[in-house]
Each structure stands twice: as C-alpha cells, then as structure tokens.
Amino acid sequence: MIQQFKVFPSQPTGKALFIGVFALFTCVLSACSSAPRSLTYYLLHTTGDSAFTVNKASTAVVIDKITLPEYLKHRGLVYQTSDTNLHISTSHLWAEPVDEGLTKALTSALASKQVSLLRPDHYASEEAVHMALHLNDFVSTYEGEVILSGQYVITHVKGQTQSYPFLFKTPLEDDGFSPSIKAMRNTIQQLAEDIRKTVTKPA
C-alpha cells in the first residue's frame, strides 16, 4: 500500500524572516527618500521698493565691487550654530545670489536717503564717488542677532581713497529664516545711513 504524504511549506527561519523584513523596510525607505524635497526661496531685497532716479538724487555713488565671504557664495541660507560652526541649509535658499540681493537692497535704502547707487555700466560720467564693498560677515547667529560687518572703500572725485570699517547688529524678533531676513534688511538700512553720511559730508 502506497502511503500519501501532504507537503506543507516550511516555516521561515529567524534569519530568513529578518532578511525579508529588512528588505521591505529598505524598499519603503527608498520610496520615501525619492519623494521631492520642499524648497523655500527668500529675497534679501523688498520687491515693493522704489528707487530714486539719478536726477532726483543729490549724490551718485558707483559701486565697483562687492566681495563676499566664501560661505555667502552658496545658495543655501546660513545660520551660525556656535562660536565655531555654521549651518548651510539645503532646503531654504536664496532666490538670487547674495551680492545681487544686497545690491538691490542697498540701492533702495540709499535711494530713500537721496543717494543713487549705480553700476559702472549704468553711469558714464567721471563726476561720481566710487565705492567697493567688502563683507566679513553677514549672518544670523546663535546669540539671537544678525551681524553685518566689513568695510567699504570710497574713492572721491578728486582721487582720494579711504576705507571705512563697519559693524552693525539687529536682534532677531523670532526664530526662523523669515525673521532673519527682516533683521538682515535692517542692518542694510544701517549700512546705507553710514554710507550716506560718508559720501555727503563736506570734503
């Protein structure tokens, strides 16, 4: 007599079960990581600003050069996390290079003070003050403030050149990048006032 046996699938061993669970977890993790990351873009200048024309301003300043620290050449917004460390965001980004945004914001701030900030290719006359702007730092800090420091070099019409160091601070009203941008705009206003005093004082 032939005996018949039913064959049942063997139960998975502990090792096989672990490999299966790990493979499933990896697939889920890969699917999540492939989802597009949300990016947020920021403007340093205010889009509603209106600038005076050269004819309406009493003083014209030609900006020849802006020099930035290396960390501001990245597109990500920067936050100083300690006395020695900086964090550059990969999801909070400048909508335009920092030197362009700074030029626009400074142009608007000076325009409200009757000073026209012009690019060299926008002003052909030699009867103007020239300026080079060099930033050492422009960053939100772990101490709850924005720091703007550096120097600007003024070359007067008669050829005299003089350097003016500066350091401006603005406290942050809240956490986050948006309050940081507003504080940065405030420090630019302070810089604009300092430049105005320099270029309009009697020689």
Side-chain angles (χ1 to χ4, degrees), residues 160-174:
Q160 305 100 327
T161 299
Q162 190 168 354
S163 176
Y164 299 88
F166 60 84
L167 171 61
F168 301 112
K169 298 180 179 180
T170 298
L172 297 174
E173 295 183 355
D174 204 350

Side-chain angles (χ1 to χ4, degrees), residues 138 146 148 168-171 180-192:
F138 192 24
V146 164
L148 173 60
F168 301 112
K169 298 180 179 180
T170 298
S180 295
I181 301 300
K182 293 179 180 179
M184 284 180 164
R185 291 173 178 173
N186 184 279
T187 59
I188 293 173
Q189 288 286 342
Q190 296 177 58
L191 174 60

Side-chain angles (χ1 to χ4, degrees), residues 60-64 116-121 123 125 128-132:
V61 177
V62 178
I63 184 161
D64 296 316
S116 287
L117 187 65
L118 307 166
R119 299 174 187 268
D121 56 343
Y123 193 81
S125 174
V129 174
H130 285 253
M131 181 177 72

Side-chain angles (χ1 to χ4, degrees), residues 22-171:
F22 179 77
L24 179 62
F25 174 76
T26 302
C27 291
V28 172
L29 186 62
S30 299
C32 292
S33 62
S34 63
R37 179 182 296 178
S38 177
L39 301 178
T40 305
Y41 294 88
Y42 298 83
L43 285 171
L44 185 55
H45 71 283
T46 303
T47 55
D49 289 345
S50 59
F52 287 82
T53 64
V54 177
N55 294 332
K56 292 182 179 179
S58 59
T59 305
V61 177
V62 178
I63 184 161
D64 296 316
K65 182 180 182 181
I66 294 181
T67 304
L68 301 177
E70 195 64 32
Y71 68 82
L72 286 180
K73 297 177 183 178
H74 296 271
R75 213 55 184 262
L77 270 68
V78 181
Y79 180 77
Q80 185 182 8
T81 57
S82 71
D83 188 46
T84 58
N85 295 87
L86 292 175
H87 170 72
I88 301 177
S89 177
T90 57
S91 56
H92 296 268
L93 311 174
W94 291 112
E96 58 191 354
V98 173
D99 55 349
E100 289 187 22
L102 177 59
T103 300
K104 292 177 181 178
L106 190 58
T107 298
S108 178
L110 284 170
S112 66
K113 305 176 189 300
Q114 301 288 305
V115 177
S116 287
L117 187 65
L118 307 166
R119 299 174 187 268
D121 56 343
H122 292 171
Y123 193 81
S125 174
E126 297 180 358
E127 297 298 317
V129 174
H130 285 253
M131 181 177 72
L133 178 61
H134 308 281
L135 297 192
N136 294 333
D137 287 296
F138 192 24
V139 65
S140 299
T141 76
Y142 64 99
E143 296 180 324
E145 62 186 4
V146 164
I147 292 178
L148 173 60
S149 68
Q151 62 179 333
Y152 58 91
V153 179
I154 296 294
T155 302
H156 296 277
V157 176
K158 295 182 180 180
Q160 305 100 327
T161 299
Q162 190 168 354
S163 176
Y164 299 88
F166 60 84
L167 171 61
F168 301 112
K169 298 180 179 180
T170 298

